[in-house]
Amino acid sequence: MARVVLENLSKIYPEKSGPGVKAVDAINLTVEDREFMVLVGPSGCGKSTTLRMIAGLEEISGGSISIDGKIVNDVLPKDRDIAMVFQNYALYPHMSVYENMAFGLKLRKLPKPEIDQRVREAAAMLGLENLLDRKPKALSGGQRQRVAVGRAVVRKPKVFLFDEPLSNLDAKMRVSTRTEISKLHARLGATMIYVTHDQVEAMTMGDRICVMKDGLIAQVDRPLALYRRPENLFVAGFIGSPPMNLFHGVVQRAGGTLVFIETNPRAAPLRLTLDGALAASAAPFVDRPVVAGIRPEDVREARDPEPAHTVTIDLVEPMGAETFLHLHTGATPFIARMSSSVQHRRGDLVPVRFELGQALLFDPQSQQVLR
């Protein structure tokens, strides 16, 4: 397999008048050998453009791409030793599953016995043995996607590229197919780069995740590190389902302690006493604006005689094993992740307590986390 290195990679789409649209802005990223790297971000952030430049389907505007130590900027896609799985399957409708999987190998003029061996090995790996004679129209969406993955597997490339391959599947099929792709990575030990806008897919599949925004890399890290230690407000609000709750306020001294006080002119403000590492990071920001980030699971219903904040329930979302309560302080809407045994209704007043052991503070001006 191969290591993929992007150095100052840029893509600018020209305009008739003006400097052009910068889709990817001088990014640097290393995908290690046999790593499963996920590129995630909102629509228009540059993730698919980056993948297409790696594949050679988009001409780069600046920087370099190396695969297995070789610069491939000017190498044709067919000579980069990569295989790509597209969102729309891209199967030949007049060919059988076997013929679709074998087509690329026939173009490379491999011997027929080797083609047959590779196709049948990939079919067994993906559970397609009984479907090899069918045409794509006789397959479900999940089966078609497995055929598209199988067509990539038979090539035994250095790098697999996936461009939102699950977007056309229903919710249940998305879960099962992403599990199959993760198992495939474990079996092959392959280098894989996977693009998605779904951060749940990113969290469950990637060895590391590259979060992109506006053509830039916001943060690269392991899934749980991104979840617990986001470096900026964008990552904090994007990673997690539901995302991190963000409260705007100021840090003030109250006796010998530091207190976060929510900016809330319409009601009694939320007050959080800071201690430990959180107080240390807040100390240089006394009397200055900050943003407090608290995950939904760190908001729990208070029990007497605990100090509590009474808030209003706007919406109750039962999810089965857990329930999401949509609450508001008067100024800020936020979400609490509660046990499904908790019974509440819209409009109820509920006392909640904020666990600050995993909370973070951010500078609203720089958008960066306070250390």
Side-chain angles (χ1 to χ4, degrees):
M1 296 303 163
R3 189 171 185 251
V4 179
V5 180
L6 314 181
E7 293 186 344
N8 298 315
L9 186 66
S10 297
K11 176 63 181 179
I12 300 174
Y13 291 102
E15 294 178 309
K16 290 183 179 179
S17 59
V21 177
K22 189 171 286 188
V24 178
D25 189 2
I27 64 171
N28 292 280
L29 179 67
T30 298
V31 182
E32 299 295 345
D33 183 29
R34 303 176 184 272
E35 182 175 31
F36 197 124
M37 173 66 76
V38 179
L39 306 183
V40 68
S43 297
C45 70
K47 56 188 184 297
S48 289
T49 301
T50 300
L51 195 77
R52 291 174 63 83
M53 286 192 285
I54 296 171
L57 302 178
E58 291 279 0
E59 184 177 349
I60 70 173
S61 303
S64 67
I65 302 168
S66 72
I67 299 175
D68 200 18
K70 177 185 177 183
I71 301 294
V72 296
N73 291 19
D74 300 317
V75 177
L76 293 174
K78 68 183 181 66
D79 298 323
R80 295 191 181 195
D81 202 4
I82 56 95
M84 190 161 180
V85 180
F86 296 90
Q87 178 179 345
N88 61 358
Y89 317 137
L91 301 178
Y92 296 104
H94 63 288
M95 293 184 181
S96 68
V97 168
Y98 185 100
E99 291 167 335
N100 266 283
M101 292 173 66
F103 185 69
L105 302 181
K106 290 179 180 178
L107 291 179
R108 295 166 67 183
K109 303 187 184 304
L110 267 64
K112 286 186 178 180
E114 183 176 352
I115 292 175
D116 186 70
Q117 179 185 357
R118 289 196 186 189
V119 170
R120 294 191 183 280
E121 284 178 353
M125 190 181 300
L126 295 165
L128 297 171
E129 305 103 306
N130 299 326
L131 305 176
L132 290 175
D133 295 329
R134 292 192 190 181
K135 298 288 178 63
K137 67 181 180 181
L139 303 176
S140 68
Q143 289 169 336
R144 292 179 193 177
Q145 193 57 274
R146 277 187 281 159
V147 175
V149 172
R151 185 174 55 190
V153 170
V154 297
R155 296 209 30 215
K156 297 184 179 179
K158 290 181 177 177
V159 182
F160 288 85
L161 306 177
F162 295 85
D163 189 9
E164 304 203 39
L166 309 185
S167 295
N168 294 331
L169 304 181
D170 61 50
K172 184 177 179 180
M173 189 60 67
R174 285 172 73 99
V175 173
S176 62
T177 307
R178 83 185 184 212
T179 301
E180 289 175 3
I181 293 174
S182 295
K183 289 179 178 178
L184 181 67
H185 175 255
R187 288 195 200 104
L188 298 178
T191 302
M192 294 186 175
I193 305 175
Y194 186 103
V195 162
T196 180
H197 65 274
D198 185 338
Q199 54 89 28
V200 174
E201 279 182 24
M203 291 288 291
T204 55
M205 298 178 74
D207 293 327
R208 285 193 302 156
I209 300 172
C210 173
V211 184
M212 298 187 68
K213 179 191 179 189
D214 299 334
L216 298 168
I217 293 177
Q219 187 175 349
V220 182
D221 214 328
R222 302 186 71 81
L224 289 181
L226 277 179
Y227 185 79
R228 280 302 180 191
R229 296 187 297 276
E231 293 181 355
N232 51 67
L233 281 170
F234 174 74
V235 175
F238 186 81
I239 294 295
S241 181
M244 179 176 278
N245 298 306
L246 301 173
F247 302 91
H248 291 258
V250 295
V251 174
Q252 293 185 353
R253 291 195 181 278
T257 62
L258 294 180
V259 179
F260 169 85
I261 303 176
E262 184 186 22
T263 305
N264 184 358
R266 290 177 291 171
L270 179 68
R271 296 174 64 92
L272 302 173
T273 300
L274 310 178
D275 57 16
L278 204 59
S281 66
F285 280 76
V286 173
D287 296 327
R288 291 170 58 185
V290 297
V291 178
I294 304 172
R295 289 289 179 190
E297 58 270 25
D298 294 327
V299 183
R300 64 179 181 82
E301 189 169 4
R303 305 295 180 188
D304 292 335
E306 294 178 332
H309 303 275
T310 301
V311 294
T312 304
I313 298 178
D314 288 331
L315 178 68
V316 178
E317 283 188 308
M319 307 297 291
E322 58 191 8
T323 297
F324 298 154
L325 298 184
H326 292 251
L327 311 164
H328 69 83
T329 63
T332 308
F334 66 101
I335 300 175
R337 189 193 302 265
M338 301 282 189
S339 167
S340 59
S341 62
V342 176
Q343 299 295 318
H344 289 296
R345 293 178 299 178
R346 181 176 181 272
D348 285 353
L349 295 177
V350 58
V352 297
R353 177 178 173 83
F354 296 87
E355 301 290 347
L356 301 183
Q358 299 291 335
L360 296 170
L361 296 176
F362 299 87
D363 180 351
Q365 186 171 358
S366 70
Q367 305 279 296
Q368 297 300 302
V369 70
L370 304 185
R371 299 296 186 189

